[in-house]
Amino acid sequence: NAGVMQNPRHLVRRRGQEARLRCSPMKGHSHVYWYRQLPEEGLKFMVYLQKENIIDESGMPKERFSAEFPKEGPSILRIQQVVRGDSAAYFCASSPGASEAFFGQGTRLTVV
Amino acid sequence: GENVEQHPSTLSVQEGDSAVIKCTYSDSASNYFPWYKQELGKGPQLIIDIRSNVGEKKDQRIAVTLNKTAKHFSLHITETQPEDSAVYFCAADLGYQKVTFGTGTKLQVIP
């Protein structure tokens, strides 16, 4: 059973471009969470999704950020018109329900 | 919302000594408290957790204590080894994995 898979591991985008981050949860897990980690800081909750539903997006910036978890395929975190302040590590976690979550290795986004 | 404070931010111990990391939380409704270890360039890895109906839990060299009244919980690592060096995060969970993390403790174990 493979762990949580995130890709790409590293992503470089120029200001104004779009960034797409992918997360494939562990087999059998229907709950996905996205977190952002700035250098030397802790993880900040962004969004909680179940298949085809956004359950809690209280940590998502109001503009430019969106997330989805379609019926088929990975969860996608999309950042439009990226700015330098979006540079961070983005982690995805999955769980089968009300139990511990398992994290992926993260995607390190650099905006130049 | 929930607020989790974690201390110290950095901790250096000699190999074989114990390390203690402390956290406080603000929302009394939080009922699940995981601890994560994050090595450089990797994602957080769950190392131990405790639920609000338990006061203490131990797993080999790692133990966690929880004081619900005072709303604080601690991680204890005994007989530290160089491979314990990492950043450790405490967290508080209100019930559906909307986890609020502490700011992390960078632990260095000196051989």
Side-chain angles (χ1 to χ4, degrees):
Chain A
N1 187 6
V4 178
M5 303 299 292
Q6 288 188 249
N7 68 83
R9 291 291 308 277
H10 301 274
L11 181 62
V12 179
R13 283 289 177 264
R14 295 186 183 279
R15 281 177 293 171
Q17 290 184 318
E18 178 181 287
R20 278 178 169 259
L21 289 63
R22 295 174 183 77
C23 169
S24 295
M26 288 180 69
K27 187 176 182 180
H29 288 193
S30 59
H31 301 242
V32 166
Y33 316 83
W34 285 93
Y35 292 84
R36 177 164 62 176
Q37 185 176 35
L38 295 171
E40 306 296 320
E41 292 189 13
L43 295 96
K44 303 291 186 187
F45 169 83
M46 298 182 74
V47 63
Y48 162 41
L49 310 103
Q50 294 182 21
K51 283 286 187 181
E52 300 185 278
N53 289 303
I54 296 174
I55 307 302
D56 184 338
E57 57 181 347
S58 58
M60 288 276 274
K62 299 298 181 195
E63 298 177 346
R64 302 188 298 108
F65 284 70
S66 62
E68 63 176 12
F69 188 17
K71 187 177 181 180
E72 300 291 337
S75 175
I76 305 288
L77 179 67
R78 181 183 178 203
I79 312 172
Q80 297 178 289
Q81 299 174 343
V82 295
V83 301
R84 288 233 171 100
D86 297 332
S87 295
Y90 292 83
F91 288 96
C92 167
S94 75
S95 76
S99 60
E100 66 266 25
F102 296 87
F103 281 81
Q105 298 278 40
T107 293
R108 279 148 187 83
L109 172 66
T110 302
V111 179
V112 297
Chain B
E2 176 63 279
N3 181 50
V4 177
E5 295 190 357
Q6 182 172 349
H7 301 280
S9 56
T10 59
L11 179 59
S12 291
V13 299
Q14 292 290 330
E15 182 178 358
D17 287 350
S18 295
V20 180
I21 301 170
K22 298 182 178 181
C23 290
T24 60
Y25 62 100
S26 61
D27 194 331
S28 56
S30 290
N31 56 21
Y32 174 63
F33 306 91
W35 285 85
Y36 289 88
K37 176 183 181 182
Q38 187 176 26
E39 296 175 331
L40 193 64
K42 296 185 177 181
Q45 181 182 16
L46 179 71
I47 56 171
I48 195 168
D49 56 15
I50 191 167
R51 297 195 179 272
S52 58
N53 58 346
V54 176
E56 185 174 358
K57 184 176 178 180
K58 189 174 182 180
D59 182 3
Q60 299 183 340
R61 296 186 296 110
I62 295 174
V64 59
T65 59
L66 171 66
N67 184 326
K68 284 175 56 181
T69 303
K71 289 190 281 190
H72 64 70
F73 55 115
S74 301
L75 177 72
H76 305 251
I77 306 174
T78 59
E79 301 172 19
T80 53
Q81 301 167 3
E83 51 265 38
D84 294 330
S85 296
V87 179
Y88 290 81
F89 292 99
C90 64
D93 183 355
L94 281 166
Y96 58 79
Q97 287 289 335
K98 182 182 177 180
V99 178
T100 301
F101 283 82
T103 48
T105 296
K106 187 173 183 179
L107 173 64
Q108 182 183 21
V109 179
I110 303 167

